[in-house]
Amino acid sequence: MLIRRPDACKSSEITPEQHYVGRRKFLAAAGVLGIGAVAGFVPNACAQDGQDPQVLGKPYGLQKDDKPTPWTDVTTYNNFYEFGTGKGDPVENAKAFKPRPWTVMVDGLVAKPAQYQLEDFLKPLVVEDRIYRHRCVEAWSMVVPWRGIMLADVLKRAQPTSQAKFVELTTLYDPQRMPGQQRSVLAWPYVEGLRLDEAMHPLTMLATGVYGRDLPNQNGAPLHLIVPWKYGFKGVKSIVRIRLVDRQPKNSWNISNPSEYGFYSNVNPEVDHPRWTQAKERRIGEFFKRPTLMFNGYAEQVAAMYAGMDLRKNY
Ligand code: MTE
């Protein structure tokens, strides 16, 4: 994220040519079918030519011109520094990573701390397919059909005590399995945090899949936090621990560069990153930039949580 200005990326570096061909077919078909079709009410057009798996799920907060970003882009254009700092590194370098067996610890200020095997962690919880907007702090965006559970359900099961005010989520630390952790590009393990009300919000998900399939390794298998009104770096991947705490947790990008990355990181077109504007974004697969929306288009659902806060100070 610190390597290049977003404008320094040429579109040709972002998506291989064969994917543009697939996308053109996708967009052409989408135009014919209309947004309802593309938003997952019928199988998506690309499934017919074998390009993309089916788009599943209910759209949340989509704008009328939002279309799901093709599977190939969602799964080959990634930020996951544990597997390299280039956008194409995670898909290559995470091939051998095994996200099973997997244990998840839920602890801290809760009445029922527990360490779970992934299957037991997931088994009693409702899994949903939801199509969300996804905005990276680097000023690119996607629309992604995630599959997952609600973080609120995980927290309710653990029963936070009255002292619990924040949630800290931590990625696996295993430099043998995650070779990027052998380099000190960030302070490992990657850690992120949310205020308890943000973590309990009904939009906040733990993704276990995308496009109706298990989450590919490069997308943060087996558990990837999704908070659609925040910049993507809040979405910590390959989570092994969820800890309830009474103080605002440290978060990796804030530790690494506090003047550029804050704790809240709500998508805000009015507060620029020190090195580039956040007023616009480049939707992966599109040529022209589009305006960025306050809270990434989810203001109606989340703005009340920040009432009275100075969002310039709490960036
Ligand atoms: N989680 C870990 N553990 N390591 C990372 O490097 N990158 C973050 C976030 N979660 C990152 C991470 C950033 S900067 C973004 S934009 C999103 O993951 C990207 O998620 P995606 O690849 O599924 O689009």
Side-chain angles (χ1 to χ4, degrees):
M1 289 205 312
L2 292 171
I3 291 170
R4 286 194 298 177
R5 295 164 61 91
D7 287 340
C9 302
K10 287 188 253 146
S11 58
S12 57
E13 289 176 87
I14 290 155
T15 311
E17 192 189 352
Q18 69 268 28
H19 303 157
Y20 282 115
V21 177
R23 182 180 310 112
R24 273 201 296 274
K25 283 188 205 159
F26 176 87
L27 293 176
V32 172
L33 292 171
I35 183 70
V38 183
F41 303 118
V42 299
N44 99 29
C46 287
Q48 291 162 13
D49 62 13
Q51 291 273 328
D52 276 19
Q54 189 172 324
V55 174
L56 296 172
K58 194 174 159 207
Y60 281 77
L62 299 199
Q63 307 296 307
K64 65 176 180 344
D65 57 348
D66 279 337
K67 300 172 184 68
T69 301
W71 156 269
T72 347
D73 293 331
V74 173
T75 58
T76 61
Y77 189 81
N78 301 105
N79 277 330
F80 198 174
Y81 280 19
E82 285 82 343
F83 295 103
T85 54
K87 297 286 180 276
D89 291 343
V91 66
E92 289 304 320
N93 300 338
K95 276 192 183 121
F97 183 74
K98 290 198 174 37
R100 308 276 194 292
W102 194 266
T103 52
V104 190
M105 171 83 96
V106 183
D107 67 343
L109 300 169
V110 293
K112 298 198 162 171
Q115 183 161 30
Y116 299 87
Q117 288 303 315
L118 183 67
E119 294 67 27
D120 302 328
F121 177 78
L122 298 175
K123 208 190 252 162
L125 305 180
V126 177
V127 176
E128 281 185 51
D129 290 295
R130 293 180 167 198
I131 307 170
Y132 280 173
R133 309 176 100 234
H134 179 49
R135 172 63 156 77
C136 179
V137 74
E138 295 163 326
W140 52 263
S141 64
M142 297 190 189
V143 173
V144 184
W146 299 113
R147 164 170 288 183
I149 55 173
M150 300 312 121
L151 181 56
D153 290 345
V154 171
L155 299 178
K156 280 182 213 155
R157 178 173 58 189
Q159 298 177 11
T161 67
S162 57
Q163 285 94 51
K165 302 283 182 267
F166 294 88
V167 182
E168 180 191 78
L169 302 103
T170 308
T171 295
L172 173 71
Y173 179 66
D174 187 339
Q176 293 311 312
R177 293 164 71 198
M178 295 183 147
Q181 290 176 338
Q182 292 167 21
R183 297 174 53 209
S184 44
V185 280
L186 284 173
W188 309 111
Y190 197 103
V191 61
E192 257 306 338
L194 295 171
R195 230 170 48 189
L196 188 56
D197 58 338
E198 298 177 320
M200 294 294 287
H201 193 280
L203 284 171
T204 304
M205 262 180 115
L206 286 179
T208 58
V210 65
Y211 269 95
R213 298 182 175 183
D214 279 353
L215 212 54
N217 292 340
Q218 62 272 23
N219 289 93
L223 292 171
H224 174 8
L225 176 71
I226 307 294
V227 194
W229 68 94
K230 292 181 182 281
Y231 293 120
F233 71 85
K234 295 298 286 181
V236 43
K237 294 176 164 179
S238 303
I239 295 164
V240 290
R241 188 172 187 194
I242 300 172
R243 190 164 71 108
L244 282 285
V245 293
D246 56 0
R247 301 223 176 108
Q248 184 173 301
K250 290 273 182 200
N251 54 312
S252 289
W253 280 99
N254 179 257
I255 297 168
S256 139
N257 192 342
S259 64
E260 297 195 356
Y261 306 104
F263 176 78
Y264 281 93
S265 298
N266 291 319
V267 174
N268 189 341
E270 290 163 20
V271 178
D272 285 340
H273 184 279
R275 292 184 287 139
W276 58 79
T277 176
Q278 294 291 19
K280 291 199 167 164
E281 66 200 51
R282 189 175 52 76
R283 176 65 50 85
I284 297 300
E286 291 181 4
F287 183 74
F288 293 108
K289 291 191 176 167
R290 42 168 82 210
T292 289
L293 302 180
M294 189 66 199
F295 295 112
N296 196 28
Y298 297 93
E300 206 179 305
Q301 294 91 327
V302 304
M305 286 194 291
Y306 309 101
M309 278 177 70
D310 179 348
L311 297 181
R312 285 190 178 275
K313 211 166 135 223
N314 297 287
Y315 58 91

